[in-house]
Amino acid sequence: TIIPKRQYFPPSKCQKVYKARLISNGETVALKIQRPKCEDVIALDLYVLRWWSGVANFITELLNRDINLQSIIDDFGELIYRELDYEAEAANAQRFSELYASVPDVFVPKIYSEMTTQKVLTMEWVDGTRLTDSNTLKAIGLDNEKLIDTLVQCSLRQILENGFFHADPHAGNLLACADGRLCYLDFGMMSYAAPEQRNGFLLAVVHIVNRDWGELVRVYQRLGFIPEGTDVTPIEVALEKALPDVLNADITELNFKNVVGKLGDIMYTYPFSLPPFYIAIIRCLGVLEGVAIQVDPKARIISEAYPYVANRVLTDPQDELQEALRRLAFTSDGRIRWDRLESLLEEARDSSGYDVTQALDQLTNYLISDDGEQLLNDFADQIVETADSLGAESAGYIMDAFRSLSENDETAAVKMSRIIGILSQRLGSDAKNDDFEQELREGLDGALPEPTPTMQKFLRIATLLGARGSNTDPSKFVPLVRKLGQEPRLQQTAGEIVAKLGERLLSRTLRSFFRLPPPVFDGRSGRQIFDGAVGETK
């Protein structure tokens, strides 16, 4: 059924790969053939490794350390024997294709199951370029950074979303196709992380970013890294001293190898026991960053992974991830950390598949729950304060804007003429929104007063909620608005907000009419503060 053409890849210890043609239809395939007595050679190697790891276990027990090197060798041996079973590799490839072939810009070769045995694998032949061959990629017009972004985002989905992941994504197992897609090869070494394990790994990233060392240690305990009853206070101190601020550190400190090295020092010093899934993930991410750095020396897995992490924390309904969202976005007394929430929204919009309506849905679900009652009251108070200050500041801003335009200022007149020209050209134009906004921003620069801090915060949040990078259809907001409108607790809160704002508007209007100083309100109760000495409001 096949005609071998030639050996295409250098022979490895276990296999040869040929380029071949099927007689039945003329299709070109890759034919991987296992070398004779390969299992015997590997069995001897594993026997020697396992014997010496037993000696190492005896030494670690004398040092009172819970490190079982034999279990690591056993898991490694299991992976190796899986790689020797080409029928299992074919099944891995088909499952990988079902899960990830639909990911944008990812390609998985076809497997010919009817022509595959335990020692012979037949799969679609793929012509492509290695990611590390920058000159060839540039010559054929492929974007290195886009390929690395596809690799990172797909790998994160594998590890943290589905749990079934390619455990050996080195440069030899990846190809860039001529059409820009990323092709995965060699599905012999695959691994799996259970839901609680991958959620724990994701939460660990969140807590490192948040510098919440106590919660990070508790995650390690739940995952079985630290025995119950261990005094974790020294571990928390060690983590705080060792790990950099992930969001603000110098790019050299964000190297995954450096971070893992610092964690490794702590795990060696204190009684950690690392399960196989963790080692497989660490190895996978380490190899992944190695490939990324070869293509782009500035690439860093941790910083590039955080948009995906922010997306999951904002949109995933699982209890553990929603607890992480509450810790990130809200203070211990239930107040919103606006800067942190803004940062999450800004990071998440850079993640493929992010939908801001899902994030809003998760936030509102918490607000209308029993746990969120106090937060809803605080949130309502903050809305009143923000809207009241925004209204007052906006009124003053508009007056300043009209005043600047009414003055005999030729520079301002020229700038406003330019703005009118930009708006006129925009009507009926197909120009991109980003270009238009940039032109308008440049035109407004200096023509109008600088917005107040409250207005700037409001505009930033509004921009993030309506960001085009979030792939959000405006019609998706309709069910969310309908749900909120039918919630009795929110209806009552909305009525209280309107009443408080109405009282403040009336007070400001009356005091302005009688030329009195603006009123000052108690932020918690919404009532005016009175001066007991003179009996008038401030």
Side-chain angles (χ1 to χ4, degrees):
T1 59
I2 60 174
I3 301 177
K5 292 185 175 180
R6 62 190 175 97
Q7 184 174 321
Y8 197 79
F9 297 109
S12 69
K13 188 175 182 179
C14 297
Q15 65 198 26
K16 291 183 179 180
V17 178
Y18 294 89
K19 187 177 184 180
R21 177 173 57 84
L22 299 180
I23 294 177
S24 59
N25 55 20
E27 292 181 354
T28 303
V29 297
L31 193 66
K32 183 161 72 170
I33 301 176
Q34 191 175 122
R35 286 176 174 271
K37 298 184 179 181
C38 183
E39 291 185 21
D40 296 341
V41 174
I42 290 176
L44 178 60
D45 290 344
L46 289 174
Y47 177 82
V48 172
L49 287 172
R50 201 173 190 282
W51 189 88
W52 280 109
S53 64
V55 175
N57 277 355
F58 177 75
I59 295 173
T60 57
E61 287 178 7
L62 293 177
L63 298 174
N64 197 27
R65 298 303 310 278
D66 184 18
I67 301 176
N68 190 345
L69 292 179
Q70 273 191 338
S71 67
I72 295 175
I73 297 300
D74 289 342
D75 288 310
F76 174 71
E78 184 180 349
L79 286 175
I80 292 296
Y81 272 103
R82 284 183 196 168
E83 283 203 88
L84 296 179
D85 185 350
Y86 292 166
E87 288 180 331
E89 181 175 346
N92 288 339
Q94 290 173 335
R95 185 182 178 192
F96 190 91
S97 179
E98 292 171 1
L99 291 173
Y100 309 117
S102 60
V103 175
D105 300 318
V106 169
F107 176 72
V108 182
K110 175 185 175 182
I111 298 294
Y112 294 83
S113 300
E114 68 280 7
M115 300 179 189
T116 296
T117 67
Q118 283 191 334
K119 298 184 184 298
V120 177
L121 175 67
T122 308
M123 66 188 301
E124 176 183 359
W125 179 265
V126 180
D127 288 308
T129 306
R130 291 199 176 189
L131 299 188
T132 52
D133 190 352
S134 300
N135 293 332
T136 303
L137 291 176
K138 185 177 180 180
I140 60 179
L142 295 183
D143 186 346
N144 291 13
E145 293 184 2
K146 183 180 178 182
L147 287 166
I148 290 301
D149 182 66
T150 300
L151 174 61
V152 171
Q153 296 304 319
C154 184
S155 299
L156 291 172
R157 285 188 61 174
Q158 293 172 44
I159 296 172
L160 299 176
E161 196 167 308
N162 294 304
F164 183 71
F165 61 95
H166 197 300
D168 196 23
H170 62 75
N173 288 338
L174 301 165
L175 289 177
C177 300
D179 59 3
R181 288 183 296 173
L182 176 71
C183 176
Y184 280 85
L185 301 173
D186 194 349
F187 301 92
M189 188 175 289
M190 307 295 290
S191 198
Y192 179 76
E196 64 275 9
Q197 294 170 339
R198 53 183 183 259
N199 283 348
F201 194 86
L202 192 149
L203 289 173
V205 175
V206 170
H207 295 318
I208 290 174
V209 170
N210 204 29
R211 303 186 69 80
D212 192 342
W213 311 119
E215 284 301 313
L216 178 61
V217 167
R218 279 184 275 278
V219 167
Y220 284 158
Q221 285 182 314
R222 289 201 301 272
L223 292 175
F225 291 11
I226 304 174
E228 292 294 333
T230 302
D231 181 11
V232 297
T233 303
I235 301 177
E236 293 179 20
V237 174
L239 287 169
E240 185 173 6
K241 291 180 179 179
L243 294 178
D245 187 327
V246 176
L247 290 181
N248 299 319
D250 182 82
I251 193 168
T252 57
E253 292 185 40
L254 293 181
N255 185 295
F256 183 76
K257 181 180 178 181
N258 292 344
V259 174
V260 171
K262 292 176 181 178
L263 280 173
D265 292 341
I266 295 172
M267 291 177 177
Y268 181 79
T269 304
Y270 298 97
F272 276 77
S273 178
L274 302 183
F277 89 89
Y278 182 82
I279 296 173
I281 290 177
I282 292 298
R283 181 186 183 278
C284 175
L285 293 177
V287 171
L288 193 65
E289 183 166 81
V291 174
I293 289 175
Q294 289 182 66
V295 178
D296 178 8
K298 294 182 179 179
R300 294 295 182 265
I301 292 297
I302 294 178
S303 56
E304 292 178 12
Y306 193 60
Y308 175 86
V309 173
N311 178 10
R312 288 288 304 278
V313 168
L314 283 167
T315 61
D316 198 309
Q318 296 182 72
D319 291 341
E320 284 184 319
L321 299 184
Q322 287 308 294
E323 176 62 26
L325 173 60
R326 288 193 283 271
R327 288 185 172 276
L328 279 170
F330 307 114
T331 62
S332 57
D333 59 354
R335 291 186 172 276
I336 297 178
R337 294 171 170 168
W338 289 105
D339 292 340
R340 186 66 61 79
L341 180 59
E342 179 187 341
S343 174
L344 279 173
L345 290 168
E346 189 165 3
E347 291 286 345
R349 69 174 179 174
D350 292 331
S351 176
S352 61
Y354 170 63
D355 188 343
V356 70
T357 58
Q358 295 181 8
L360 286 173
D361 191 51
Q362 296 301 324
L363 289 169
T364 53
N365 282 342
Y366 179 67
L367 280 176
I368 62 180
S369 68
D370 292 337
D371 294 336
E373 183 174 2
Q374 183 59 45
L375 176 60
L376 181 60
N377 295 332
D378 293 339
F379 187 45
D381 290 338
Q382 292 184 52
I383 289 177
V384 171
E385 289 294 324
T386 302
D388 182 48
S389 60
L390 183 62
E393 292 173 5
S394 298
Y397 178 83
I398 292 171
M399 292 298 296
D400 290 341
F402 276 106
R403 188 178 299 113
S404 67
L405 297 177
S406 64
E407 293 174 350
N408 185 19
D409 188 337
E410 294 182 0
T411 302
V414 170
K415 287 182 176 290
M416 290 309 298
S417 298
R418 183 184 175 192
I419 293 168
I420 294 171
I422 294 172
L423 293 172
S424 300
Q425 294 174 5
R426 175 63 178 173
L427 296 176
S429 171
D430 293 330
K432 294 182 179 179
N433 286 338
D434 291 339
D435 297 336
F436 167 67
E437 290 177 2
Q438 180 63 29
E439 288 185 50
L440 191 59
R441 190 179 298 111
E442 292 175 356
L444 287 170
D445 185 27
L448 296 175
E450 183 71 17
T452 64
T454 305
M455 294 175 66
Q456 291 177 0
K457 179 185 292 185
F458 173 80
L459 291 172
R460 284 197 303 269
I461 296 293
T463 300
L464 290 171
L465 292 178
R468 284 178 299 280
S470 62
N471 299 318
T472 300
D473 181 357
S475 64
K476 292 183 179 181
F477 287 95
V478 175
L480 179 61
V481 173
R482 185 180 295 117
K483 181 181 76 172
L484 296 179
Q486 295 173 350
E487 174 60 37
R489 185 177 296 173
L490 286 180
Q491 291 175 352
Q492 180 182 351
T493 303
E496 294 173 355
I497 291 173
V498 171
K500 290 179 180 179
L501 286 174
E503 292 174 2
R504 293 192 176 203
L505 176 62
L506 178 61
S507 176
R508 290 189 183 280
T509 302
L510 290 175
R511 293 183 68 83
S512 176
F513 180 78
F514 290 107
R515 299 181 180 276
L516 295 173
V520 177
F521 296 92
D522 180 355
R524 303 296 297 173
S525 67
R527 299 179 181 278
Q528 292 188 51
I529 301 176
F530 288 84
D531 187 334
V534 297
E536 70 171 17
T537 57
K538 293 183 179 179

